[in-house]
Each structure stands twice: as C-alpha cells, then as structure tokens.
Amino acid sequence: MDRTSSVRPLLAPPLTSTLDTQSEQFTQNRADMLEQIGVHDELLQMAAGGGGEQRMARHRSRGKLPIRERIANVIDPDTPFLEITPLAGYGSQYALGGGMVCGIGVIAGTECVIMGNDPTVAAGALTPYAAKKWMRALEISRDNRMPYVSFVESAGGDLRPPGGGGDKELSEEENPHGAIGSAVNPQHFAETGRFFYEMTELSKLRIPTVCVVFGSSTAGGAYQPGMSDYNIFIKEQSFAFLAGPPLVMMATGEMADAETIGGAQKHAEVSGLAEYLAEDEMDALRLCREVVSHLNWRKPDAEPTLEGDEPAHDPEELLGLVSRDLRQPVDVRDVISRVVDGSRFEEFKPRFGTSMVCGWASIHGFPVGVLGNNGVIYPDSAQKAAHFIQLCNKIDIPLVFFQNITGFMVGTEFESDGIIKKGSQMINAVTNSAVPHLTVTIGSSYGAGTYGMSGRAFGNRFTFTWPTAKIAVMGPKQIAGVMSLVRRGQAARTGEEFDEEADAEIVAAHEAMHDEGSLALRATGAISDDGIIDPRDTRTVLGLSLSVVRNRPIEGATEYGVFRL
C-alpha cells in the first residue's frame, strides 16, 4: 500500500497568533536570543576542537580521523546526527565536551546510538563527564531499543590526580565566558563500572552492540570490545589489552610491545576478540555499515500517520517570544503554533484550568499530546493535566512538555483547595505515564513545577533546553529573599540588631549566584539535559526524537499509583 494513502489529517483548526513582531519587546527579545545563540555556537566550535589545534594536528599526522569525521563517514549521506550534550563539562576544569561524542545517527538505514571517545582529549580517558555521557548513551539505546555503536580509542579511567588536568585553572582562551562550576563529581571507585553492566545487558535485551576499535583500548577501555556483539579492529592501529607494555613490565617483568600483547592481527587471528580486521579507518567504517545492514533491525511503528506539513506560523518568530527577564509572560500557544504541523491544535478543556494548556497535535506527522504553561500551576490546572496525561496513555500517544513554570500556587486559599493533593495527582500521572515524554524548557523551570512538567528525573526519553531556560529549586530572587527572612528571624530571636545594609549586600550576592547557577549552560554542562537547542530547530529536534522513540512499541500505562481524590 502507498504510504500516503494511510496518512490522514488531524481535524483540528490552526491556532491564531496575536504576536506583534513589530513591537519593541519582540525586537529586544530577538536580539537577546540571537546573542545567546551566538555564545552557544561559539562553545560548540570549541567543543568540536577537542584537545586543541596541536593535539588535533598530531592525531591527523598519524593518519587518523577526528571523532566527528569518523561519525560523519559512518552515517548515511545527507542524514542528520543529533548530538547529545555536546557542551558537557562547561565551566568545569575538564575539556568542553568531556572527551566524548555521543548522539543518534542513521547507519545503513537504521537509527543507532553512536558513542565515540575523543582521543585528542587525555588520550580518550574516561573523565567524570565522559562517564556520565556514556551512561546517557547507553540509557538512550536501552529505553528506545536502538542498536548501540561505539568508536573506542581510550586510555581507560582518568588516573590524573587533582591538578593533573581535571583541576587545572583554565586560561581565558579555554574559558572565554568566565564560566564556573557545572557539577559532575568523580565517584568512588567502588561505585564505578555500571556502564559495563549496561553494555552487556543491551545484548541480553536483544539490542545489538557494535564496537570499532580505532586505537589503544586499555584496561577499562578493553572491556568495551570485550562486551560487544561485533568487533572491528584496524590493522597495525587497534590495540586492546587489560595492561599495556608499562604495566605488564611492572606487574610481571615481561618486556613486550603493544602489537605483541594485544594488536589487531593477534585479536583477529589468535584470541578471537575481533570478528573483522580492517585495512584502515575508512575500511573499518565500511565494515561497520555492513554489520549494521545485516542486523535485520525493524521499527515496529516507523511511519508517520498524520499530515506533516509545515506550521502556518513562521518558526523564525520563536526568537522573539521569550525575554531575558523570565517574569515577562509568554503565551505557550505561540510556541506550539510554530512547532506543530500546520499549526493545528485541538485544545483540551480550554476554559478550565487555563494556566495549563493541553491538547493534541502532530509533529512531522507523528501524533503527540502537548502540555504547556501559561503561568503558575493552580489546583484546577493540575487536575486538568493529570486527566490529559491519562487520556494520552489510553490511546498510546507520546507527550511533549513545554516548560515555563515557576511552580505550584501557594497560599491559604490554595491549600484549602487541595493544591498538595491535586499537584500530587499531576506528578503521579507524570511518574506512572508509560508513553514517551519529550520535554523542552523554554523559560523558567522551578521547584516542584519542574517535576509536574516532566523534568529530567521523570524518565523522559529526551530533555532539551532553549538558551533562555533557567532551572532551579526556586527563582533566584525568591531564594535570596527567603534566606534574608531567615536571617531576620534569627536576629529577632537572639535580640541582635539587624544590619539592613549588610543584608542587602548578601541578598544581591546570593541572587546573582543563584541566577548564574540556574542558567541553561550550567544544566547542560552538568549533563542534566540532552542539549541546548536553537528555538528555530525545536520542530526538527522533536521530529527526530519522535522517530527515535518509535523503535520501541508505544504503549500507555495500564495502572497508576493511588490518586488522593
């Protein structure tokens, strides 16, 4: 049957828009957004530079391709690569990107998770950021049932002591924006190794794992091919051993070179670790494509079912929607209408719980349920959202959340109206929902509002942020104000005179500190999202994500926890 014959229209009207693109506010918002996107693009260029020009030149002089060129040559021509957390480590003392590249690409017509060490960064050693990024790649593969392809060239665990690279002061060139502190802390060794568990479990789950060894694969790095279904080694370039020549000498007294201990030919002809022996890197990438092509991988529900026409409203206008001052209101319908197909949106309960916008739409032909914020979450808004989430689970439709939320409403009236109970109903529905969740934070994401709108911790398949996003336990001004009230209370209890001038300085300092700590770049640096995206790319990124989640059958929840009614 012709695919077009099975595509049907969503019988919903297009949203209208009252956005004034000629207003002074829109013009200022657009300029501010473009400035933030410019900073983001500059950082992406830095991350793509890996360990720097000198190390990149040395890598190329050995006849090796940089990691991003390896990926570009393995994926199908003219297909996208959706990179995940490219700015890992932002503001830390580690290289931007964390020394690893991971993302989603199409190999031989099959969507795959691709993870690759960057050998120009500490010889591909596993920094805390690389380890967290690796875990995220494995999670995406498992949750979406996608083949997992690893490009390995790693010295194993990062053995450098503090000051040996991980804790060094960054120069102005290395840190041009003066960023400080995205927090991913090294684990105690006793907590490590989960990625090996996850890798071998993929195989148990019948998710294929393919490993291409491009260079040295030492110690922990050697277990990547050891736990993969298929291994491709490169003649006179790939090495895999639990201990390289120096450690073998120290441990046993044996003197042997790397080729003798664990060279590619030995593993292809003697140990049996390698299934395929490539002549060079391009030959290895050809073999990788051949392996993926024979996997007989089938998506259970691959094709879009609805018309996937472009939005009626221009996505370029998304640049002018959100102010740097997130207190300025944004009608989330103006976001939805510039992302969904034909701007069509069937709104659910439009007259009830109006601070929560819910409804059905499609993105690139894939049906979705959409939730977005038009203000704080009131008790009726929470009820409405919980009801809508259940309905989408009943009909097996993925959910897209557009976060711009300061939290649940507080105060005597709303406690009487059951804000705790009704807010918990919403969080219960989000938690136990079994359809894929895709979340985009466009502005504020504070407190329990983050949870109710399916924050990162709530099992999202993907979480993305706009450059304007701020994520924190509460707004910076509120945090600083609450702490000021605490200090006043302490002074009153002890009979001390309260120093208003000193307190004002503390409030200003705390507000600035918490504001900086809530920025999207801080979240993405700590790998607390899947990346910052240009607002104009929201539709494309969500479309790619919706295709990915369909590698696994979409089935809604059949039961929930107890709802307090």
Side-chain angles (χ1 to χ4, degrees):
M1 180 185 291
D2 181 8
R3 188 188 79 77
T4 57
S5 65
S6 63
V7 172
R8 54 191 171 77
L10 178 70
L11 300 179
L15 287 166
T16 58
S17 178
T18 58
L19 182 66
D20 182 1
T21 59
Q22 304 302 313
S23 70
E24 185 178 333
Q25 184 68 62
F26 180 91
T27 302
Q28 184 62 57
N29 291 349
R30 186 177 187 279
D32 289 344
M33 181 68 84
L34 287 171
E35 179 188 335
Q36 292 174 86
I37 291 170
V39 170
H40 180 246
D41 288 347
E42 182 184 338
L43 291 168
L44 289 176
Q45 287 292 325
M46 290 178 61
E53 290 184 13
Q54 185 176 350
R55 289 174 181 166
M56 192 69 78
R58 185 171 62 190
H59 183 73
R60 287 187 182 278
S61 72
R62 295 169 176 167
K64 294 185 174 185
L65 297 171
I67 180 58
R68 283 179 170 79
E69 290 185 24
R70 290 169 177 169
I71 293 171
N73 280 285
V74 80
I75 61 177
D76 293 352
D78 301 319
T79 60
F81 178 67
L82 180 59
E83 187 169 352
I84 301 298
T85 59
L87 300 184
Y90 169 81
S92 76
Q93 307 302 318
Y94 291 90
L96 193 59
M100 180 178 285
V101 176
C102 73
I104 296 162
V106 178
I107 302 175
T110 301
E111 289 169 330
C112 299
V113 174
I114 305 171
M115 183 283 291
N117 304 111
D118 186 344
T120 69
V121 178
L126 285 175
T127 66
Y129 292 91
K132 188 172 181 183
K133 207 167 179 176
W134 185 10
M135 284 295 292
R136 178 61 184 140
L138 291 164
E139 182 180 44
I140 292 171
S141 176
R142 183 188 67 239
D143 289 352
N144 297 289
R145 290 196 59 79
M146 300 172 65
Y148 173 81
V149 177
S150 56
F151 288 174
V152 178
E153 187 167 3
S154 172
D158 187 358
L159 302 179
R160 295 172 297 174
D167 272 336
K168 70 181 178 68
E169 283 293 320
L170 298 181
S171 67
E172 185 174 342
E173 182 179 351
E174 293 171 307
N175 187 19
H177 303 287
I180 53 172
S182 57
V184 170
N185 298 314
Q187 296 173 304
H188 188 281
F189 179 74
E191 299 176 80
T192 64
R194 181 71 187 189
F195 21 73
F196 300 124
Y197 176 99
E198 297 285 348
M199 271 194 73
T200 196
E201 189 179 47
L202 290 180
S203 186
K204 181 187 78 173
L205 296 171
R206 302 184 68 182
I207 299 172
T209 54
V210 181
C211 178
V212 185
V213 179
F214 282 94
S216 179
S217 183
T218 308
Y223 285 111
Q224 293 188 61
M227 294 184 176
S228 295
D229 295 346
Y230 300 90
N231 289 321
I232 301 164
F233 279 53
I234 302 169
K235 187 183 294 185
E236 298 177 354
Q237 181 172 319
S238 304
F239 305 95
F241 28 59
L242 298 185
L247 184 52
V248 167
M249 177 64 182
M250 289 293 297
T252 70
E254 179 187 0
M255 294 184 64
D257 61 21
E259 186 69 38
T260 303
I261 296 172
Q265 198 155 345
K266 178 172 184 175
H267 285 307
E269 298 174 358
V270 181
S271 78
L273 179 63
E275 279 71 53
Y276 306 90
L277 183 64
E279 292 295 322
D280 54 30
E281 292 203 8
M282 291 303 292
D283 191 38
L285 295 170
R286 175 188 64 80
L287 287 167
C288 179
R289 289 178 53 79
E290 285 187 9
V291 169
V292 174
S293 74
H294 85 237
L295 294 177
N296 194 30
W297 199 250
R298 294 143 293 174
K299 291 176 72 170
D301 197 14
E303 299 295 341
T305 56
L306 297 172
E307 291 179 354
D309 48 327
E310 292 295 314
H313 301 290
D314 189 356
E316 184 76 20
E317 295 169 351
L318 292 170
L319 293 174
L321 283 179
V322 183
S323 171
R324 277 191 192 272
D325 179 3
L326 296 182
R327 293 172 297 181
Q328 297 296 319
V330 177
D331 187 344
V332 75
R333 294 179 187 85
D334 282 329
V335 177
I336 296 168
S337 66
R338 288 161 177 81
V339 172
V340 303
D341 297 337
S343 302
R344 292 182 295 275
F345 186 63
E346 182 195 341
E347 190 163 351
F348 175 70
K349 288 189 173 180
R351 298 179 179 229
F352 179 82
T354 54
S355 70
M356 181 70 65
V357 175
C358 305
W360 287 276
S362 63
I363 299 174
H364 284 283
F366 296 113
V368 292
V370 180
L371 296 94
N373 306 115
N374 267 355
V376 70
I377 302 175
Y378 291 92
D380 56 354
S381 309
Q383 278 187 310
K384 171 180 171 178
H387 184 185
F388 181 73
I389 290 166
Q390 287 181 299
L391 291 175
C392 288
N393 273 264
K394 289 291 186 183
I395 56 177
D396 304 327
I397 285 184
L399 291 166
V400 174
F401 295 81
F402 289 111
Q403 289 188 352
N404 185 21
I405 183 62
T406 55
F408 288 88
M409 192 61 189
V410 298
T412 305
E413 176 187 348
F414 303 103
E415 293 293 353
S416 299
D417 196 18
I419 187 63
I420 295 175
K421 286 200 309 179
K422 293 171 184 176
S424 296
Q425 290 169 11
M426 179 179 177
I427 294 173
N428 185 337
V430 168
T431 302
N432 291 293
S433 169
V435 296
H437 291 191
L438 310 177
T439 296
V440 181
T441 305
I442 66 174
S444 300
S445 181
Y446 295 151
T450 302
Y451 309 152
M453 289 297 292
S454 200
R456 176 62 177 268
F458 281 74
N460 295 345
R461 298 289 184 90
F462 293 99
T463 305
F464 298 100
T465 55
W466 283 9
T468 42
K470 291 185 178 181
I471 306 162
V473 66
M474 65 178 72
K477 186 177 290 291
Q478 287 70 33
I479 293 175
V482 166
M483 295 310 298
S484 174
L485 291 174
V486 170
R487 288 190 296 275
R488 288 176 184 275
Q490 289 173 336
R493 286 193 298 273
T494 58
E496 296 177 16
E497 183 178 350
F498 188 72
D499 190 331
E500 296 285 354
E501 187 175 333
D503 184 70
E505 291 179 3
I506 294 171
V507 166
H510 278 196
E511 185 174 341
M513 178 185 71
H514 287 291
D515 186 66
E516 198 279 334
S518 69
L519 296 176
L521 279 169
R522 286 289 297 275
T524 207
I527 317 179
S528 294
D529 64 14
D530 291 314
I532 296 172
I533 59 174
D534 185 322
R536 295 167 292 188
D537 294 333
T538 304
R539 172 177 166 81
T540 299
V541 170
L542 288 176
L544 290 169
S545 302
L546 287 164
S547 177
V548 165
V549 302
R550 295 172 90 87
N551 278 278
R552 169 179 163 183
I554 296 174
E555 299 174 342
T558 57
E559 56 186 345
Y560 286 84
V562 172
F563 282 97
R564 287 187 167 273
L565 302 176

